[in-house]
Amino acid sequence: MSTPYPFTAVVGQDDLRLALLLNAVSPAVGGVLVRGEKGTAKSTAVRALSALLPEVDVVVGCRFSCAPGAPDPVCPDGPHETGPGSSRPARVVELPVGASEDRLVGALDIERALAEGVKAFEPGLLADANRGVLYVDEVNLLHDHLVDLLLDAAAMGSSYVEREGVSVRHAARFLLVGTMNPEEGELRPQLLDRFGLTVEVAASREPDLRVEVVRRRLAYDDDPAAFAARWADEEHALRARIVAARALLPEVRLGDAALRQIAATCAAFEVDGMRADIVMARTATTLAAWAGRTVVLAEDVRQAALLALPHRRRRNPFDAPGLDEEKLDDTLEEFGGGDDAPEDDPDPDGPGGGGQPPQDGPEGPQDGPVDAAEAPAQPEEPAQPEEGRGGRPAGSGEQSAVKAAEPFRTKMLSVPGLGEGAAGRRSRARTDHGRTTGSRRPQGVLTKLHLAATVQAAAPHQRARGRSGRGLVVRRDDLRQATREGREGNLVLFVVDASGSMAARQRMSAVKGAVLSLLLDAYQRRDKVGLITFRGKDATVALPPTSSVDAAAVRLETLPTGGRTPLSAGLLKAHDVLRVERMRDPARRPLLVVVTDGRATGGPDPVALGTRAARLHAADGTASVVVDCESGPVRLGLAGALAGELGGTAVTLDELRADSIAGLVRDVQGASGAHRRVA
């Protein structure tokens, strides 16, 4: 077994270490979500926590870690006799991103259950994590159905495995710890709320700290055992402090003043539900115990708010997580200070106080999360030039970026046909979850039994198999796997016209609002997104295909406009991007969304070039939709003609709204479909 990196050897990252230690003291805090860029010791710190956790007493031979004094009455390995049990280290169980449902919740052998009437259950990772830590690296990339299973287990403290009426239940109480890089996509709000605390981590910009990080890592890689031995005393001291804080925790008093501050803070920041209040109360109490105090102070409430509230304030995926500390201080002051600490309590700034883990790094400033600086105020947008003849703008200079209009709920856009891509919520697909549409012979391990088809296959052979009783004689060849239909996520590639013809009509704010709305829809439907803009003489990949829709929103917000309209360049760039993505992920079907008024200017015969580029997408069978941004009483219908060449669908900005009087856009036409305008 490899030697883990010592927890006390992690340089800096005070908030991360504190959040993990608070959960080690009191698992009731509810886990922690660690957000940050790659290479910031997120996984290292979580894995190092296992060496600090106190041992747990378990029933000997129980695969589900039942406690000897209070075993689970319905444990699959039970019933258990009372006994002393045995001690073992607490587990930190890792859930891989690509794990299957059976690997997470366990596998039930349906074949033996039908043929022999035996419940043969192989426990999964939830059973391994019971009374320990379940660690999910890249938790934002976890499939939706696995997220649902995690939510259910975290809420009920137990896991249910059901296969055609045969079910098994076991305890699954675990501390949920997740790490993620926000650049790769955000988490569903339901899962965000399940994490008690959240911390933002970033690499330090202080040279001395960076030198110390490299020095320690190189020393560990050269000789892990010797490096761990050098930190053994610090690890032992920190482990002892965790044990002491656990023992003190029941004696900590959460006074009415602190409770009022907690309630007022949650109300002031408009967090949903009451879970935030409960988590803050538990966190503040644990902070007091960690500091060696029996009374919760205002500083504990403040620190608890900074850890428990930022991820609960996000209203949509484009909101940056964080907390207005000035508003927090004003709220705490308005609703009175915390209870005064007794005179015999340790000095909050002494060895047992302060709420911070021991500082092991070199002296110097500690870098915390880097807050994005507010963008400078944009000057008032100058009057846009009027277009000249032929759709060309009278002026072709670059215009400053305009703010996007408020997003709205859009109509459903989906790719026609039946796909087999990653689970999502947009287009129809063959999936492991969804409604049952048929059956087939199983390929490999049977996971979803089609009971009626299995009985139908076995029924004609009962006499030949010598059936004499009431039971059905079932053989392996009789088993049938259910085929199911659900929804998949797609690659939604936006091609946005940022030329002068768009800016001239002062439509860019509405256009950005529409694209922002489609991005929000893509987030909710678990799509990958990409962004291409064209203006001037060329097209630019503003954002390569990614799961991070908020990154696309940031690029869109700063998008300047002006210049000619190289429509063909935008379509050709999109064709190149889709060609590469088909090789990387052939199962994920693309949806091309072109946002333009249909004009094409610049270069020789720009209209013919745009037509030929559009026909390339039609030849590939790419599903497409053109968002027609043309306005005014006289319309040329150029966007509609472009949609016809793409073999797709055209919708206006007004028709894109879900609450408009226009009919619902159900399927975007592929290359074989005729162009139609939704009305």
Side-chain angles (χ1 to χ4, degrees):
M1 182 177 179
S2 61
T3 304
Y5 192 91
F7 187 88
T8 50
V10 175
V11 178
Q13 307 298 11
D14 295 340
D15 288 341
L16 168 59
R17 295 194 295 160
L18 177 61
L20 291 173
L21 289 171
L22 292 177
N23 277 278
V25 172
S26 174
V29 168
V32 58
L33 174 65
V34 187
R35 298 165 45 94
E37 59 196 20
K38 54 187 176 292
T40 49
K42 300 188 299 293
S43 300
T44 299
V46 174
R47 294 188 179 105
L49 180 67
S50 60
L52 300 177
L53 297 176
E55 292 188 341
V56 294
D57 294 329
V58 298
V59 173
V60 177
C62 179
R63 297 174 296 170
F64 303 88
S65 303
C66 284
D72 184 0
V74 294
C75 175
D77 285 353
H80 299 300
E81 297 181 359
T82 58
S86 63
S87 296
R88 64 159 175 79
R91 294 173 179 162
V92 176
V93 178
E94 293 193 36
L95 173 61
V97 171
S100 64
E101 177 182 345
D102 285 346
R103 184 71 185 97
L104 177 63
V105 301
L108 189 61
D109 193 332
I110 298 298
E111 184 177 353
R112 291 189 62 190
L114 287 177
E116 305 174 26
V118 176
K119 286 185 179 180
F121 180 67
E122 185 66 29
L125 295 176
L126 290 181
D128 293 341
N130 187 33
R131 303 180 66 202
V133 177
L134 182 62
Y135 169 46
V136 188
D137 193 12
E138 306 293 353
V139 63
N140 51 324
L141 303 182
L142 203 62
H143 285 179
D144 270 5
H145 71 282
L146 296 182
V147 170
D148 292 335
L149 293 171
L150 276 179
L151 289 176
D152 290 341
M156 298 184 297
S158 59
S159 174
Y160 288 85
V161 184
E162 296 189 2
R163 297 287 189 272
E164 300 298 337
V166 182
S167 63
V168 173
R169 188 205 74 85
H170 65 81
R173 296 180 177 86
F174 50 83
L175 178 66
L176 185 60
V177 179
T179 57
M180 60 174 285
N181 184 349
E183 294 177 357
E184 298 173 342
E186 283 294 346
L187 274 177
R188 289 168 53 183
Q190 296 93 327
L191 186 55
L192 267 178
D193 195 45
R194 289 296 177 188
F195 288 99
L197 310 179
T198 184
V199 291
E200 296 275 343
V201 296
S204 172
R205 300 297 182 258
E206 173 61 40
D208 290 341
L209 288 179
R210 297 176 74 95
V211 167
E212 188 63 22
V213 170
V214 175
R215 181 181 290 119
R216 293 186 186 183
R217 187 69 209 192
L218 292 177
Y220 171 77
D221 291 340
D222 289 341
D223 191 342
F227 183 82
R230 290 202 297 271
W231 292 90
D233 291 343
E234 286 82 355
E235 293 280 291
H236 177 75
L238 191 56
R239 192 180 301 111
R241 186 176 176 186
I242 292 174
V243 173
R246 281 191 171 189
L248 183 62
L249 185 60
E251 302 177 19
V252 177
R253 182 171 63 88
L254 181 64
D256 289 342
L259 274 174
R260 282 196 302 271
Q261 286 184 316
I262 291 171
T265 301
C266 292
F269 286 100
E270 300 179 346
V271 296
D272 296 331
M274 295 296 299
R275 182 173 283 118
D277 303 63
I278 297 171
V279 171
M280 272 191 66
R282 289 172 173 166
T283 305
T285 303
T286 308
L287 280 163
W290 180 250
R293 289 185 269 100
T294 57
V295 174
V296 174
L297 303 180
E299 65 192 62
D300 301 322
V301 176
R302 187 182 192 278
Q303 183 66 56
L306 293 174
L307 293 172
L309 296 188
H311 61 301
R312 293 185 166 89
R313 295 194 61 247
R314 303 191 73 192
R315 293 294 182 265
N316 64 65
F318 309 133
D319 292 339
L323 215 61
D324 184 341
E325 295 194 30
E326 183 176 349
K327 180 179 179 180
L328 173 61
D329 291 335
D330 291 343
T331 302
L332 294 176
E333 183 178 355
E334 178 182 354
F335 286 88
D339 300 305
D340 292 332
E343 293 181 2
D344 58 348
D345 269 352
D347 181 1
D349 296 325
Q356 295 292 338
Q359 301 299 313
D360 300 312
E363 295 182 0
Q366 305 287 322
D367 283 4
V370 179
D371 295 326
E374 294 185 358
Q378 297 290 349
E380 184 176 349
E381 184 183 357
Q384 303 296 332
E386 295 295 332
E387 289 189 3
R389 291 183 177 273
R392 294 176 181 242
S396 58
E398 179 177 313
Q399 306 295 334
S400 60
V402 297
K403 186 176 179 61
E406 285 296 318
F408 52 85
R409 189 166 63 91
T410 66
K411 289 191 174 75
M412 172 70 168
L413 302 176
S414 62
V415 178
L418 196 62
E420 296 182 345
R425 299 182 180 180
R426 183 172 297 279
S427 304
R428 295 172 54 230
R430 298 183 186 90
T431 61
D432 293 333
H433 299 268
R435 63 184 182 91
T436 301
T437 58
S439 65
R440 59 175 174 81
R441 290 182 182 274
Q443 299 172 351
V445 179
L446 178 71
T447 55
K448 302 291 183 181
L449 177 75
H450 195 295
L451 184 58
T454 299
V455 172
Q456 186 177 9
H461 308 291
Q462 296 306 295
R463 181 175 297 177
R465 294 173 183 173
R467 174 186 171 185
S468 58
R470 301 180 62 181
L472 191 67
V473 181
V474 179
R475 302 279 174 81
R476 172 69 182 173
D477 291 342
D478 301 328
L479 300 178
R480 295 294 182 268
Q481 175 85 21
T483 57
R484 302 195 174 192
E485 181 179 311
R487 294 279 173 176
E488 67 177 358
N490 298 110
L491 167 58
V492 182
L493 183 61
F494 294 93
V495 181
V496 180
D497 184 351
S499 65
S501 67
M502 303 287 286
R505 299 172 185 265
Q506 298 185 1
R507 288 172 292 175
M508 207 59 199
S509 177
V511 168
K512 286 186 176 182
V515 177
L516 201 62
S517 304
L518 290 167
L519 284 171
L520 180 59
D521 182 68
Y523 164 78
Q524 294 168 341
R525 301 192 187 281
R526 304 294 176 262
D527 296 317
K528 288 181 68 174
V529 296
L531 178 63
I532 293 173
T533 63
F534 60 94
R535 56 182 289 272
K537 297 181 180 180
D538 203 358
T540 302
V541 180
L543 183 71
T546 176
S547 297
S548 179
V549 295
D550 52 342
V554 171
R555 305 291 174 88
L556 180 72
E557 192 68 26
T558 58
L559 178 67
T561 59
R564 298 187 181 276
T565 313
L567 176 62
S568 61
L571 295 176
L572 288 174
K573 184 71 72 174
H575 187 265
D576 290 341
V577 170
L578 292 180
R579 176 177 55 81
V580 173
E581 287 300 310
R582 283 190 182 97
M583 292 187 289
R584 288 177 176 171
D585 189 358
R588 189 181 288 270
R589 298 187 293 165
L591 173 61
L592 181 67
V593 179
V594 185
V595 185
T596 182
D597 56 10
R599 288 173 170 79
T601 62
D605 205 355
V607 176
L609 289 174
T611 298
R612 287 199 291 271
R615 289 174 180 172
L616 287 176
H617 290 282
D620 288 341
T622 302
S624 59
V625 60
V626 177
V627 180
D628 185 358
C629 302
E630 193 174 30
S631 60
V634 179
R635 302 193 180 189
L636 302 178
L638 299 177
L642 174 62
E645 298 295 344
L646 287 167
T649 301
V651 295
T652 65
L653 288 174
D654 290 336
E655 291 169 343
L656 191 62
R657 293 178 177 270
D659 55 357
S660 72
I661 61 174
L664 183 67
V665 180
R666 295 196 181 276
D667 281 326
V668 178
Q669 294 292 327
S672 60
H675 160 62
R676 62 183 172 89
R677 176 176 292 279
V678 178

